Amino acid sequence: MSDKKVLFEIQDLHKSFGSLEVLKGINETVYQGDVISVIGPSGSGKSTFIRCLNLLEQPTSGRIIFEGNDITAKGFNVNKHRQKVGMVFQQFNLFNNLNVLQNLTISQIKVKKTAAAAAEEKAMALLKRVGLGDKASAYPSQLSGGQKQRVAIARALAMEPDVMLFDEPTSALDPEMVGEVLKVIQDLANDGITMVVVTHEMGFAQKVAHKVLFMDEGLIVEEGTPEDIFSHPQNPRTKEFLSKVINVI
């Protein structure tokens, strides 16, 4: 048993889209300070799983307890939950009609009712943190993919979430831009921010995660430390997947 604070407790989580069952009974606990990488083949349910944690997908059955509250209960305040759970998407989801600074301040001002000057001060500090202090007045169309994703990460951090969710944050990037985004995420991990990261970047999962979940066909097939999963996988399906995605030297 861990003496760390439990943030998420996921109990028998199922999600279907029509007759297609995508999640088939997920049980998992996320503790404060955890960095969890979720890996697995395309179509295994990884993105659906992480989207359920933010209620972007409504679970079909099962329960998700976040900080002691059942977020799957009827009448639960979704918007309040999302203030505490930051989300970074594959496609950035920036507001293209706002400049970078405005992208970071709009939710602080409108949702958290932060004074504009304080919101801007925090936004500038976060932009510097992700290496984009000189891009405050730029618009998303003027940024590279890697810069857009770093802005998206800073925007999520501006709400001071208790946990950050990343849904394949580098999959839409050119290969040379992947490293700059992974470095920002790694820095956040080093700062103790709780994260669940769906990723195809096996090196990142090995190096940064405390725990790795391997998903296949809607289930967590195997989980453990990076050492457990990458060096000593037990399940034949995990072994098969890793043999295909890790370069054997």
Side-chain angles (χ1 to χ4, degrees):
M1 284 294 291
S2 173
D3 56 1
K4 291 191 291 183
K5 178 183 175 185
V6 174
L7 289 187
F8 275 111
E9 201 169 331
I10 299 128
Q11 303 170 349
D12 196 26
L13 179 65
H14 290 254
K15 175 62 181 178
S16 296
F17 296 96
S19 60
L20 178 67
E21 190 177 27
V22 177
L23 299 180
K24 302 175 181 176
I26 301 284
N27 294 283
E28 190 56 51
T29 303
V30 179
Y31 295 95
Q32 191 170 42
D34 276 355
V35 178
I36 297 175
S37 284
V38 186
I39 64 170
S42 294
S44 59
K46 306 184 301 294
S47 288
T48 301
F49 168 55
I50 204 168
R51 287 169 68 86
C52 283
L53 299 184
N54 205 19
L55 295 178
L56 289 168
E57 300 292 353
Q58 195 65 40
T60 305
S61 65
R63 299 171 78 212
I64 301 174
I65 314 295
F66 178 73
E67 296 184 342
N69 298 305
D70 184 353
I71 69 171
T72 48
K74 200 170 181 188
F76 181 78
N77 187 332
V78 175
N79 292 328
K80 210 154 196 162
H81 175 63
R82 288 187 185 148
Q83 288 182 45
K84 295 184 174 184
V85 182
M87 185 91 181
V88 176
F89 301 87
Q90 296 177 39
Q91 299 293 345
F92 326 127
N93 289 17
L94 298 176
F95 299 114
N96 290 320
N97 60 324
L98 302 180
N99 68 26
V100 166
L101 186 66
Q102 291 165 332
N103 263 279
L104 266 69
T105 57
I106 186 169
S107 290
Q108 293 185 67
I109 293 166
K110 288 188 177 300
V111 179
K112 294 193 97 173
K113 310 300 182 193
T114 305
E120 287 188 11
E121 188 178 339
K122 181 190 282 185
M124 287 306 303
L126 287 168
L127 286 174
K128 287 181 182 135
R129 185 175 181 181
V130 299
L132 293 172
D134 60 339
K135 296 293 184 185
S137 59
Y139 283 81
S141 61
Q142 300 170 301
L143 303 178
S144 70
Q147 289 170 334
K148 288 178 189 175
Q149 195 59 294
R150 284 186 280 155
V151 171
I153 292 169
R155 181 180 63 177
L157 288 170
M159 297 299 283
E160 298 180 346
D162 293 348
V163 59
M164 289 278 285
L165 307 177
F166 295 85
D167 186 8
E168 297 188 16
T170 59
S171 67
L173 300 179
D174 292 335
E176 68 266 27
M177 293 174 185
V178 169
E180 67 189 55
V181 172
L182 292 182
K183 178 167 188 324
V184 169
I185 300 173
Q186 185 173 349
D187 289 345
L188 299 180
N190 293 341
D191 289 346
I193 291 176
T194 310
M195 293 191 279
V196 183
V197 185
V198 172
T199 185
H200 289 296
E201 302 291 336
M202 296 300 134
F204 171 81
Q206 272 182 286
K207 187 176 171 187
V208 178
H210 303 145
K211 181 160 68 172
V212 178
L213 312 181
F214 171 67
M215 287 186 66
D216 189 43
E217 296 188 350
L219 291 166
I220 296 173
V221 174
E222 189 167 354
E223 65 179 274
T225 65
E227 169 79 6
D228 293 336
I229 298 298
F230 290 101
S231 300
H232 312 288
Q234 301 299 308
N235 189 286
R237 184 66 186 97
T238 316
K239 292 177 185 176
E240 180 192 14
F241 173 78
L242 291 174
S243 74
K244 290 175 179 172
V245 298
I246 293 181
N247 296 327
V248 179
I249 298 171

